[in-house]
Structure formats: C-alpha cells, structure tokens
Amino acid sequence: MSNTAEVIEPREGNREVLESVVVRFAGDSGDGMQLTGTQFTHSTALTGNDLATFPDFPAEIRAPVGTTFGVSAFQINFGSRQILTAGDQPDVLVAMNPAALKVNINNLREGGLVIVDSGTFKDRDLRKAGYESNPLEDDSLDGYQVIEIDVSKMVLEAVKEFGLGNKDGLRCKNMWLLGLIYWMYGRDRKPSVDWLTAKFKSKPDLAAANIAALNAGHAYGETVELPGEILGYTVQQAELTKGRYRNIAGAEALAWGLVAGAQLAELPMFFGSYPITPASSLLHTLSRLKQFGITTFQAEDEIAAVCSAIGASYAGQLGVTSSSGPGIALKTEAIGLAIMTELPLVVVNSQRAGPSTGLPTKTEQSDLYQAVFGRNADSPLVVLAANGPGDCFDTAIEACRLAVQFMTPVMLLTDGYVANASEPWSIPDFSTYEKFPVKHHTDPEGFSPYLRDPETLARVWAIPGTPGLEHRLGGIEKDFDTGHISYEPMNHQRMTDVRHQKIANVAKHIPQQAVDQGNDGGKLAIIGWGSTFGPISRAVSNMRDQGCDVSHIHLRHIWPLPSNLGDLLRGFDKVICPEMNHGQLSTVLRAEYVLDIEPLTKVQGMPFKISEIEGAIKNALGATQ
C-alpha cells in the first residue's frame, strides 16, 4: 500500500495514514459482492469519509458458478479529501475466486494488494476461470502484494456452532472478508451487525452466523501477522461542508427529486413504467412513497407505460415514465403524441451500452441523439442530464418545473453509472426551494385547448370534465385557434413553428451557463455532460494545479442549450468534449455554433478514467503552448 498514488501522511500509531483508497470487491453473482460493498460504504460514510462507488454487475442473471461471465464487482473510492470518482485503479482487490481475479487483476495498480480465498483455487475452479496454471503458484502476480487466506475453511470453522451445512456456511464468506477489510481500515462493525440482526430477525441463527463470520474476519486481521508488514491503515475524516448528510444512490435521489418536483408543483404524480435495466430501481423506490401522493403502475409493456403517464397528465396529474434506450425507442411514438398534445411529461432515460440489447448492465451516454432528435417529424422537447447521484435530485425538480411551465415532455438523462453509484449527499433545506404551483385553467370564456401564454407559448392546461372546457386532444394536427382537427397547410406550418419556438423559449428561463472550474476564456476548455463530471473535474483540477490553462464547463441543460454557451465556447482556443459515445454532443455543438469541437470518446461500458482526460489535456496544451 505504500506505493499508492494518493498522498500518504505519517503513521497514526501502528497504522499508516492514507489520504484516499480504492477497494474493489469481486466474486460470483451469488457471493454477495454488492451487499458487501454497500455495507462497507455505509460504515465508511458514518466514519466521515467522502466517497464514490461503482457497482459493476454482470448481464447474466446466473452465469455458471466460477466462470468469468458471472463476476460481479463493487468498487469504492474513499478518502479524507473530496472524492469525485470511484477511482481509476483499485489499490486493493478482494477476489473470492479465480474468475474474479482473472477479470479484475489487470485493473489493479502496480504494487497493489490482492486478497484471495485460496480455498477456491482448486484445479476445477482454475479451469472454469480459464487459467492454465495456478496464478498463486506461478509468477503472474509478482507485481502485486498477495495475501492468500483459506477463507472457505476459516468461515466454516467460525459458523460451525450454528449448525449450518457447508453450502449455507460458505454463504457467510463475504461477511468474513468484510470483517477483515473493516479491521484493515479501522471501520466500525456495529452498523453491519445491526443490519444483519434486523435482516434476519425471523432467522436468528443466520444472523448470528453472519455476525460470527464478520467478527472472525476482523479478529484474523488483529491477531495474524499479515505479509508486507500490513498493520492496518487510517483514512481520516473528510472536511465536508457543514450539514446533515446521508449516503444516496442516483436512482434513489432521482425518485426523491421527482416527488419533490410534484410537491413544488402542488400536483399528484403518476409514474407508469415497465421494468428494464438499469431503470427498474426507480419504480421500486417510488412504489414505497405513496404517502406523498404518488401512484405507481407497472405496465405490461413500454408503450402502455408511457401512454398511461400521458393519460394521467391529460387528467391533470404530473405524468412520469422511465426506461433505458431500447425502451425509449418503443415509447417514441407516444412521446410524439405528448409533444403534439402539449402535455407535461417527464421521461427518464437511464442509459446503457447499446445498440439493441447491447450491454444491459454497463454504462454509456449514447442516447443523446435519441433524446434530442429521435422522433419522427419536427418534434422538439426539453433534454436535461444529471451529473452524479446527488445531482439527480435537483435535476429531477428542474425537469418537473420545465414540463409544467412549458406544457412539454422533458427527457431526463442519467446512465447506469449515475443510477447505481452512491455518494454522501447533503440533505437540502426543502423550505428554500421555490414553488412553481400549477393552476389549471377554469375560465370557459374564450377557451381553446391551444390558448397560449404570450411569454412562454405554453398552452393552457384544462382538466377534462371541467364545465365549459370540454375539448379533445390527439395525434392529428389541430387548428391553432379552435383546437379542431385541421389539414390546412399554413396551419400546420404555424403549429410546427410555435411548437419549435416554445422549446426555444425555454432558454430564456434557465440559468446562463457557468464555468465549473477555471476562467471564462483561455487556451483550453473541457466541456462535458452527465456522468463525465467526476473524472473531468478531477482531471482539470489536477492539471490546473500544475499550471495548465484549462477550464471545465459542464452542461445540465442539453436542449435547448443555454443562451450564452456559444459565446462562452468562442472564448477558448480549443474545446474538447469527453463523452461515452461516438461524439454526439460534440456534433450537436458543432452544428449549433459552427465551432471546431474535438471529441474524446469512449464506448467500453466503463466510465472515463481521470488519467485519460489528463492525457487529452496534456496533448492539447502541448500543441498550443
């Protein structure tokens, strides 16, 4: 651990003090790696460290045990300084079996620590993982510190008094290793003990067995002399802004933000959805929030889901639907209906790697074209993007505000990384949020369903059944003045123009684009959107510390773009746009502003590394300085 890339401070007692650490837990899907990582995250948050996580799921529900296809991992970066990403490379890899080692070892930093369950490195296990020889016996791990522990044997010994069979006993292995890592970094076991007690309340023997395994792993670290003079490490509390914090995942923050947005609009909310990875957790979270006037509906397919949400909006509620790229494609015609009828609708797209089924559990930002342009005819809508788990809350509120203020669908883009990752979140004072209460139209005098606000061009919102406000909406073009069906050429021109101008007017009601780091002009700007925020922010910060003239601009409002963005970008000699697609935002910016925006693309199902963006900055400034 002494070779870690992060700053190391003097020892605290026998423990080496580290500024930050990246730990990756890896094993079979059934080994409980997500649970292990989540428990370590909770304990770390309570310790007062800043953190960021990256759950990495396999696409297969249950791949054959011991194969590389079924490896599940959970990575956490925690420290005493501000943490913006889950880390470029793990400092520590906890590998439950050979397959986990094989899949993850190349990501471990040089000189990093590997902790393996040697009890799983039998000939059959090695063959299933694709090893020709045992990596614990050949020289393939010579560049790392390796701790071999027969965890399988240790855990069975720890739980034998509870009468568990081998199969159930071995399921406690993750708790044994969690106990060891708790000891290594001075974490408190009590939150996990309390959680196990509550989870297995009806099965106290299982709770006791898992707690015994947790304590046994911790005791092993305390009493056994580990190789490499490892005496444990201390990561001190981070200096976070004063406030009340909780650990929050992106999907959870998004759900709460949608609820908050409906509350600020003073509307009940209807959420119609169909399960799809990685969007399903939003439905799960919202279904538990009925006390806030939330109705959730799991539809039989994507089309029914979005149409139910449109129906709810027609009836006067705030309609919301969600999916991932393939599901959004199925919803497209209905989203066009919401544009034509000019009803408020929030559409959440939790992006994943594609096209088609693609890589269902891997992250990507490849649906920007789909969001901005992906409908038949001229069908403009508003597009927003959240930059991280905590930012999902405020972005969801903004989506609700714009949807009801402009009577339009709003597509909110997240991705698999944002949805599943977690971070400490400062709980906001909700009383400071400005309300945007909806007032449904009730006056029958001069009523037309397309009667418009002269400033925003939003049409009035009349609830069906209101006396004197009987009207119909639909997918066939309507007359600008009466709302009746119209096939008149100039009326279609007028309606198309006003739908376009209404969305363009949104730019007058969103903030001017600010620079996140750096100056308003200079040699180089890095512009990003969505989940690239963390690696861009850290890379720009690092390079500015080295004296580089580089700034960071990050977009929340993707369409329409902020009104000052073109002038802001023209103030830089060069602009680079990192994104996890083949250059979609850079293409949009070039088209809008006729500027030479240089794309930096990555489509590997993995987030950008800080080092990748630092390399692009060095190359760009090397050519201009």
Side-chain angles (χ1 to χ4, degrees):
M1 289 297 293
S2 59
N3 293 326
T4 181
E6 306 300 345
V7 177
I8 298 178
E9 300 173 6
R11 288 184 178 274
E12 187 178 88
N14 290 328
R15 290 178 171 265
E16 191 174 357
V17 179
L18 305 178
E19 187 181 42
S20 64
V21 183
V22 180
V23 177
R24 188 171 180 88
F25 300 92
D28 268 324
S29 296
D31 284 337
M33 292 298 92
Q34 304 306 318
L35 186 153
T36 305
T38 300
Q39 286 300 305
F40 187 78
T41 299
H42 288 331
S43 184
T44 296
L46 291 171
T47 301
N49 298 133
D50 199 4
L51 63 90
T53 68
F54 176 44
D56 191 8
F57 306 97
E60 287 75 14
I61 295 174
R62 273 290 183 270
V65 174
T67 63
T68 56
F69 301 106
V71 172
S72 177
F74 187 103
Q75 185 163 307
I76 176 172
N77 182 9
F78 61 101
S80 57
R81 62 174 176 85
Q82 185 183 27
I83 300 296
L84 295 173
T85 77
D88 278 13
Q89 294 178 294
D91 299 303
V92 179
L93 171 62
V94 179
M96 300 284 281
N97 59 24
L101 181 68
K102 189 179 184 67
V103 168
N104 292 281
I105 189 61
N106 290 334
N107 293 322
L108 188 66
R109 68 165 178 82
E110 185 178 349
L113 178 64
V114 185
I115 302 173
V116 297
D117 177 9
S118 59
T120 62
F121 280 69
K122 305 293 192 297
D123 288 343
R124 184 170 180 268
D125 303 313
L126 294 168
R127 287 195 303 272
K128 289 171 71 175
Y131 278 114
E132 295 182 359
S133 62
N134 191 338
L136 303 182
E137 298 173 355
D138 58 27
D139 60 358
S140 60
L141 298 179
D142 284 355
Y144 308 101
Q145 300 179 65
V146 181
I147 297 179
E148 300 178 33
I149 307 172
D150 192 343
V151 179
S152 300
K153 179 181 177 181
M154 294 281 187
V155 77
L156 289 175
E157 180 66 25
V159 304
K160 67 179 182 181
E161 66 179 277
F162 302 102
L164 301 182
N166 271 18
K167 184 177 180 180
D168 288 335
L170 290 174
R171 286 176 176 167
C172 301
K173 285 198 305 180
N174 61 331
M175 288 296 109
W176 195 99
L177 282 165
L178 180 61
L180 176 62
I181 300 299
Y182 275 172
W183 166 82
M184 189 172 289
Y185 295 102
R187 309 288 94 165
D188 186 3
R189 285 167 283 166
K190 188 176 186 303
S192 291
V193 170
D194 292 343
W195 180 84
L196 288 165
T197 302
K199 180 174 178 61
F200 296 110
K201 184 177 180 180
S202 62
K203 299 177 180 179
D205 284 349
L206 280 180
N210 278 280
I211 293 168
L214 182 76
N215 291 333
H218 194 277
Y220 184 90
E222 288 180 317
T223 58
V224 174
E225 186 173 331
L226 298 175
E229 299 181 356
I230 295 174
L231 300 174
Y233 306 95
T234 294
V235 181
Q236 296 173 341
Q237 287 189 348
E239 295 184 5
L240 300 173
T241 304
K242 187 177 180 180
R244 186 181 181 189
Y245 286 81
R246 77 176 311 279
N247 195 51
I248 197 166
E252 190 176 26
L254 184 58
W256 292 355
L258 291 170
V259 172
Q263 296 282 311
L264 293 170
E266 298 181 358
L267 290 174
M269 189 182 94
F270 179 94
F271 182 79
S273 186
Y274 179 76
I276 185 173
T277 302
S280 300
S281 51
L282 185 57
L283 173 61
H284 301 159
T285 304
L286 286 170
S287 67
R288 297 191 293 268
L289 300 176
K290 295 177 182 178
Q291 68 271 31
F292 296 107
I294 310 301
T295 301
T296 55
F297 170 57
Q298 181 175 319
E300 65 268 27
D301 55 44
E302 296 283 6
I303 298 171
V306 64
C307 287
S308 67
I310 293 170
S313 289
Y314 182 50
Q317 298 194 15
L318 177 59
V320 182
T321 190
S322 77
S323 191
S324 189
I328 298 296
L330 293 169
K331 295 179 189 288
T332 296
E333 184 181 1
I335 294 172
L337 174 64
I339 293 170
M340 181 67 104
T341 56
E342 299 187 48
L343 285 166
L345 176 71
V346 177
V347 182
V348 178
N349 182 351
S350 299
Q351 301 165 96
R352 70 190 204 187
S356 187
T357 305
L359 305 174
T361 60
K362 307 303 178 183
T363 194
E364 207 163 273
Q365 292 179 296
S366 51
D367 293 348
L368 187 143
Y369 283 163
Q370 182 187 43
V372 177
F373 304 118
R375 292 159 298 281
N376 65 295
D378 290 297
S379 305
L381 49 67
V382 177
V383 182
L384 307 177
N387 69 34
D391 187 57
C392 286
F393 182 81
D394 287 327
T395 307
I397 292 176
E398 177 73 343
C400 296
R401 180 183 75 86
L402 294 175
V404 298
Q405 184 176 353
F406 287 87
M407 293 294 286
T408 179
V410 176
M411 191 167 293
L412 196 169
L413 298 174
T414 70
D415 58 48
Y417 179 42
V418 169
N420 294 320
S422 62
E423 64 184 12
W425 180 57
S426 179
I427 301 173
D429 181 356
F430 195 56
S431 66
T432 63
Y433 282 73
E434 185 177 352
K435 291 186 176 183
F436 41 91
V438 169
K439 294 183 179 178
H440 294 110
H441 193 78
T442 57
D443 184 5
E445 185 174 349
F447 171 73
S448 162
Y450 289 98
L451 188 66
R452 297 183 182 277
D453 179 277
E455 180 184 0
T456 64
L457 295 182
R459 75 169 186 85
V460 295
W461 191 1
I463 298 177
T466 304
L469 303 184
E470 294 82 4
H471 65 284
R472 62 179 176 181
L473 299 173
I476 299 178
E477 187 65 278
K478 301 298 189 293
D479 184 82
F480 184 90
D481 295 311
T482 67
H484 300 321
I485 291 174
S486 173
Y487 291 95
E488 290 296 323
M490 294 312 297
N491 179 75
H492 179 54
Q493 178 78 53
R494 190 180 186 188
M495 290 294 278
T496 300
D497 290 346
V498 78
R499 286 190 290 264
H500 168 83
Q501 189 58 48
K502 182 180 72 170
I503 300 304
N505 287 348
V506 171
K508 302 174 185 177
H509 295 262
I510 61 176
Q512 295 274 287
Q513 183 60 48
V515 176
D516 286 270
Q517 284 188 75
N519 303 315
D520 291 348
K523 291 185 176 180
L524 177 63
I526 309 296
I527 185 168
W529 65 280
S531 64
T532 56
F533 178 84
I536 294 175
S537 183
R538 178 61 68 195
V540 169
S541 177
N542 291 345
M543 299 309 293
R544 287 184 60 81
D545 287 345
Q546 297 177 30
C548 293
D549 184 3
V550 58
S551 299
H552 175 200
I553 301 167
H554 216 79
L555 301 181
R556 170 183 285 176
H557 297 88
I558 305 298
W559 197 263
L561 293 162
S563 58
N564 68 322
L565 181 61
D567 291 338
L568 183 61
L569 295 178
R570 290 186 185 96
F572 294 91
D573 296 341
K574 193 167 190 177
V575 180
I576 296 176
C577 181
E579 48 186 332
M580 292 185 291
N581 57 50
H582 242 258
Q584 296 183 18
L585 178 62
S586 58
T587 301
V588 171
L589 295 176
R590 284 199 295 264
E592 285 295 299
Y593 304 124
V594 197
L595 289 172
D596 183 16
I597 310 294
E598 180 181 322
L600 175 64
T601 65
K602 181 176 183 178
V603 281
Q604 301 170 15
M606 300 290 288
F608 271 100
K609 293 181 178 180
I610 298 167
S611 58
E612 292 169 336
I613 297 172
E614 287 178 342
I617 294 171
K618 292 175 183 176
N619 290 338
L621 292 179
T624 60
Q625 288 182 328

